[in-house]
């Protein structure tokens, strides 16, 4: 025990004083040899013979020294020290090699880490709730009316809450936007209307105060409200005495009862306020599918079991509540299902993110191949040195380890650089990421990300470090020495394989980016249903009942504001509508057509509606194909009028003109509305979706949900001749406030921005894929150039000989270019094979382009082929310029 | 040549320490070369002992405090490092010898019992 400790101490000492240790060992072995020699000479050997015999008797001197050093100190520490020292010497001697290797790797690792950070934060990390894997979204599927993810109706919620045994709890929620008036400037904020029990279900505790009670969500309950932490800090400066104070929301004073921590993200937006969703069982009907639902499964209940049980409760709901009868639900193939809340929150974002992650992985692979290539070149150059050390007795294991240590260190440095790059790239990513991507705020560099980077660095280090290491280990010292240490001929094929795979991988990325570009172009070619969107400013404006009690007053307020807005200098036209183009406000309802009562029986009855003010089509420049626009007189007289889109008119009456004068309505109780005009189709669900048939009604109607009904929350659109529509905002605000100072403008966007936002997922993926493809192309080109240059250098003598024998420089150049062409052709062939199967993964992201689009493949193959030829042309010229006499003189 | 090889003894792992300690105890201070020479003489069969392999073992023993070393002149006036056994080394030798005996008798017994 003591001797062990003592030994440990001495070893540490020896490690700390390596030169002393080494001298001691040298001296001892020297003395030993001397003694041996003396002895042998005494026995009659000549001094020369004696020296050789002494060496033989002692064995491998270097090995003895090495083993003795190992014994004296800690071998692994000793090795690490020597490897590090050697590495540092290499760094100084070959800054170019290490610089390029580390930077190349850092780019690859940086890109991969950045995207992994995003994938981790958004897709991999669990939702920030306790036991979040038991949280589910509850949805209805109604294939009969083409709906596969319809939200719940109140009747279903009440039924499930009472009877569903597979659920521990269920809650409804709905996003809305409310005005806050009173002290200070009026503002419009995002809010969530929720049933009681939502926070308990999510296991979210209020920071202080309490959550909503059952009384508050029942009819006649006290008007109360919860603040989000962020809103509480912003509006009340984080003051704790906020409880019990009131907030004027949509004109109603509501008592503040609690503050909810940040982090609840059921939809993209983060709500500022939470209001009670009041449900009156007495007036509840089956129908009105408009409330998203979240539930907590009981432990050990599967998604299928829950869906099955909820579907079985359908008849109970139709028996308990009036509204749509069971027979009709059955005709729609009605069923209920649940899916993990996370899937619901992520939506389609996950797929696009994984694809982008995959492409950065390919970039990393190309980078690794490049570095492996560098290593090969270098081992070529150093092979004499290595061979010599092997001959002197350095063990093969040591030599192999050295090159692995080297690559691991490069991997680690590349990883560190990559992490730094990733942080920068992440900033960029978050800046350009569309707001539609969920959970963006959850994206940050977590321990898992650092672990990932570490893993990637080590794996890539091993990936490119192993090849040269294996080479060293296999080396036969004697034959290598005979070759004059100039290396092994067999490197050629391996390096060519590298070049071929780089071309192939780069091609895959190019095709991916190319397909996105083609989709994007296809989208751009689609006429959206409006023109010059860059000159149209839009904003939302809501008139709460506190400011205008009746529908008629609200309608008049909108009319007066529109007059003021239109009078602002530079404004060419102004109007308002519940939804402008693809601003994601959707309303669907049944439609009854006088001429086609049989529509009643079919699913085709379900159509999209938009309620507008006069002048809407002129403002967004949507063409009127037949008939006329609404007039203010229509509204004043509560005229039952409607306008339909071209596709609706064609579907029912064959041509737009014949639709004018026909009559439709959205409820059998309502009077018929006469179609007065037919307008151009609008792609309201994004350019990549076909335009839905659309029915326009005036935003103020004599008979709708109630008598004299007006939509209070409208999106204004203002066409201006000014260059910068956004500069109009202050004047717009003045115009609105000249009518009513309590009305906030919100959600200000140009029509062009609305259009861009609807394409944001596509453009975002496009940008990232293109970036990846450009980096891949660059790295691939460098790879091909390097390989051809190497092959040229290797055959320099042969080239000289050919020239000396009378070959023309042109022939030589051709010879080299042909070599490049062969690599390119092989790479392209492999790339086309790989791409045609891999791009199938991105089908969901493509629009009007097949993943095997021949033009994309063809053009890119030609382009990449050209680039490969170009990359081999430069070394080819160098080969042609070889001076035969000089080349032949090389040993 | 080949018959000679068959009679060579491979040193068991760990036995080299024991042999060196024993040699130093019986013969007093020696330098490494003399130790190697003695070992070759003492054995009926030649060891496959590469003289170089003595050094790591000597370093190990010295670091454990079982032997100590000093540079001295040889009879031929050469510099050489002499090794001698320490009291701790003697104690260790006793211990190791006992352990070796036990091991040997165990192996012998096993070999005899299972002899055909």
């Amino acid at each position: 025990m003591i001797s062990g400790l003592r030994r440990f101490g001495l070893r540490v000492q020896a490690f700390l004083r390596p030169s002393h240790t080494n001298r001691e060992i040298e001296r001892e072995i020297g003395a030993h040899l001397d003694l041996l020699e003396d002895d042998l000479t005494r026995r009659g050997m000549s001094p020369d013979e004696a020296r050789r015999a002494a060496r033989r008797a002692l064995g491998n001197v270097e090995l003895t020294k090495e083993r003795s050093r190992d014994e004296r100190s800690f071998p692994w520490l000793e090795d690490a020290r020597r490897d590090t020292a050697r590495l540092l010497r290499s760094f100084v001697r070959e800054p170019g090699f290490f610089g390029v290797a580390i930077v190349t790797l850092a780019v690859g690792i940086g890109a991969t880490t950045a995207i992994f950070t995003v994938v981790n934060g958004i897709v991999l990390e669990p939702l920030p709730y306790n036991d979040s894997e038991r949280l589910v979204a509850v949805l209805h599927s109604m294939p009969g009316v083409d709906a596969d993810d319809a939200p719940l109706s109140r009747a279903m919620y009440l039924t499930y809450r009472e009877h569903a045994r597979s659920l521990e709890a269920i809650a409804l929620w709905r996003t809305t936007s409310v005005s806050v008036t009173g002290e200070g400037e009026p503002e419009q904020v995002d809010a969530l209307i929720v049933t009681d029990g939502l926070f308990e279900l999510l296991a979210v505790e209020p920071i202080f105060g309490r959550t909503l009670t059952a009384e508050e969500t029942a009819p006649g309950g006290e008007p109360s409200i919860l603040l989000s932490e962020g809103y509480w800090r912003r509006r009340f400066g984080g003051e704790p005495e906020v409880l019990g104070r009131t907030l004027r929301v949509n004109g109603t004073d509501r008592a503040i009862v609690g503050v909810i921590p940040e982090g609840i993200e059921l939809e993209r937006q983060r709500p500022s306020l939470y209001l009670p969703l009041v449900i009156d069982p007495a007036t509840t009907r089956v129908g009105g599918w408009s409330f998203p639902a979240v539930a907590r499964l009981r432990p050990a209940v599967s998604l299928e079991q829950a869906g099955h049980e909820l579907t079985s409760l359908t008849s109970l709901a139709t028996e308990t509540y009036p509204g749509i009868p069971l027979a009709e639900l059955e005709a729609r193939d009605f069923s209920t299902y649940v899916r993990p809340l996370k899937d619901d929150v992520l939506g389609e974002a996950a797929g696009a993110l994984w694809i982008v992650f995959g492409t950065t992985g390919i970039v990393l692979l190309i980078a690794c191949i490049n570095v492996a290539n560098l290593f090969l070149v270098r081992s070529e150059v150093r092979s004499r040195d290595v061979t010599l050390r092997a001959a002197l007795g350095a063990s093969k294991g040591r030599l192999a380890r050295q090159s692995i240590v080297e690559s691991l260190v490069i991997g680690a440095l590349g990883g560190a650089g990559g992490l730094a790059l990733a942080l920068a790239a992440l900033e960029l990513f978050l800046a350009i990421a569309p707001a539609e991507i969920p959970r963006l705020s959850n994206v940050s560099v977590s321990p898992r990300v650092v672990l990932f980077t570490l893993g990637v660095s080590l794996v890539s280090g091993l990936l490119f470090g192993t090849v040269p290491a294996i080479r060293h280990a296999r080396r036969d010292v004697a034959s290598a020495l005979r070759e004059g240490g100039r290396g092994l001929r067999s490197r050629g094929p391996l390096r060519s394989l590298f070049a071929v795979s780089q071309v192939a991988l780069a091609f895959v990325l190019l095709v991916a980016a190319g397909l996105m570009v083609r989709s994007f172009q296809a989208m751009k070619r689609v006429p959206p249903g409006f023109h010059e969107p860059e000159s149209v400013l839009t904003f939302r404006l809501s008139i709460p009942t506190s400011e205008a009690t009746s529908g008629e007053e609200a309608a008049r307020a909108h009319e007066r504001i529109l007059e003021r807005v239109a009078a602002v200098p530079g404004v060419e036209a102004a109007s308002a509508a519940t939804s402008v183009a693809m601003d994601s406000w959707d309303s669907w309802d049944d439609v009854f057509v006088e001429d086609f009562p049989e529509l009643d029986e079919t699913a085709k009855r379900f159509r999209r509606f938009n309620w507008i003010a006069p002048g809407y089509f002129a403002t967004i420049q949507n063409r009127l194909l037949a008939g006329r626009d609404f007039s203010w007189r229509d509204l004043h007289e509560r005229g039952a009028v409607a306008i339909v889109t071209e596709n609706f008119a064609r579907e029912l009456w064959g041509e737009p003109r014949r639709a004018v004068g026909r009559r439709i309505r959205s409820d059998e109780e309502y009077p018929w509305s006469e179609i007065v005009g037919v307008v151009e189709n609008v792609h309201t669900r994004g350019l990549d979706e076909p335009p839905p048939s659309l029915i326009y009604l005036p935003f103020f109607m004599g008979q709708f949900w109630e008598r004299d009904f007006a939509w209070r929350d409208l999106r204004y659109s203002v066409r201006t001749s000014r260059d910068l529509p956004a500069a109009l905002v202050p004047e717009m605000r003045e115009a609105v406030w000249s009518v009513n100072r309590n009305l906030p403008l919100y959600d200000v966007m140009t029509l062009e921005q609305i259009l861009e936002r609807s394409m944001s997922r596509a453009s975002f993926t496009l940008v990232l894929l293109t970036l990846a493809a450009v980096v891949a192309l660059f790295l691939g080109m460098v790879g091909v150039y390097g390989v051809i240059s190497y092959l040229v250098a290797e055959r320099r003598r042969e080239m000289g000989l050919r020239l000396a024998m009378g070959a023309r420089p042109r022939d030589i150049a051709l010879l080299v270019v042909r070599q490049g062409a062969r690599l390119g052709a092989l790479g392209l062939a492999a790339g086309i094979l790989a791409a045609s199967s891999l791009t199938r993964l991105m089908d969901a992201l493509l629009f009007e382009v097949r993943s095997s689009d021949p033009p994309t493949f063809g053009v890119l193959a030609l382009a990449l082929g050209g680039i490969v030829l170009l990359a081999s042309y430069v070394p080819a010229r160098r080969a042609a310029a070889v001076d035969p006499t000089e080349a032949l003189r090389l040993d | 040549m080949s018959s000679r090889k068959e009679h060579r003894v491979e040193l068991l792992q760990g036995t080299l320490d024991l042999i060196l300690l024993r040699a130093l105890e019986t013969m007093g201070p020696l330098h490494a070369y003399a130790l190697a020479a003695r070992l070759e003489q003492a054995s009926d069969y030649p060891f496959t002992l590469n003289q170089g392999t003595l050094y790591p073992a000597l370093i190990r023993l010295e670091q454990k405090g079982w032997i100590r070393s000093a540079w001295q002149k040889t009879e031929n006036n050469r510099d050489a490092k002499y090794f001698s056994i320490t009291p701790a080394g003697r104690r260790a030798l006793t211990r190791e010898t006992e352990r070796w005996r036990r091991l040997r008798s165990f192996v012998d017994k096993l070999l005899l019992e299972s002899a055909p």
Side-chain angles (χ1 to χ4, degrees), chain A residues 3 6-7 10-11 24 27-29 31-32 34-36 38-39 42 57-59 64 67-68 71-72, chain B residues 31-33 36 50-52 55-57 59-60 62-66 71 74 76 78-81 83:
Chain A
S3 64
R6 186 187 138 92
R7 176 148 197 250
L10 285 170
R11 282 182 139 190
E24 181 80 9
R27 194 172 161 210
E28 263 185 78
I29 290 176
H32 188 116
D34 286 346
L35 289 168
L36 198 57
D38 283 355
D39 213 18
R42 261 201 314 279
L58 193 60
T64 305
R67 298 239 168 94
S68 305
E71 209 52 69
R72 190 167 285 257
Chain B
H31 49 70
Y33 173 61
N50 193 321
Q51 297 194 8
Y55 282 94
I59 288 168
R60 191 165 55 235
E62 191 178 3
Q63 283 189 335
K64 284 178 173 172
W66 293 349
W71 285 92
T74 67
N76 297 328
R78 290 272 194 189
D79 275 336
K81 200 174 190 180
F83 297 91

Side-chain angles (χ1 to χ4, degrees), chain A residues 674-689:
Chain A
E674 184 187 331
I675 296 174
V676 295
V678 177
V679 293
E680 206 182 332
N681 297 338
V682 184
H683 288 264
T684 52
R685 311 199 78 179
L687 293 176
D688 48 351
E689 298 266 348

Side-chain angles (χ1 to χ4, degrees), chain B residues 37-106:
Chain B
R38 291 283 174 192
L39 290 184
E40 280 192 5
Q41 285 171 13
S43 58
D44 296 338
Y45 303 106
F47 283 115
T48 51
L49 179 65
N50 193 321
Q51 297 194 8
T53 52
L54 281 186
Y55 282 94
L58 288 171
I59 288 168
R60 191 165 55 235
L61 292 175
E62 191 178 3
Q63 283 189 335
K64 284 178 173 172
W66 293 349
I67 60 174
R68 56 174 160 252
S69 68
W71 285 92
Q72 283 173 18
K73 293 281 177 197
T74 67
E75 53 267 43
N76 297 328
N77 213 21
R78 290 272 194 189
D79 275 336
K81 200 174 190 180
Y82 278 80
F83 297 91
S84 56
I85 192 162
T86 62
R90 285 180 211 282
R91 283 196 297 277
L93 177 60
T94 320
R95 242 179 4 250
E96 293 298 305
T97 310
E98 184 52 36
R99 186 179 297 168
W100 171 251
R101 287 207 174 109
R102 274 206 304 271
L103 177 67
R104 199 191 60 189
S105 70
F106 167 67

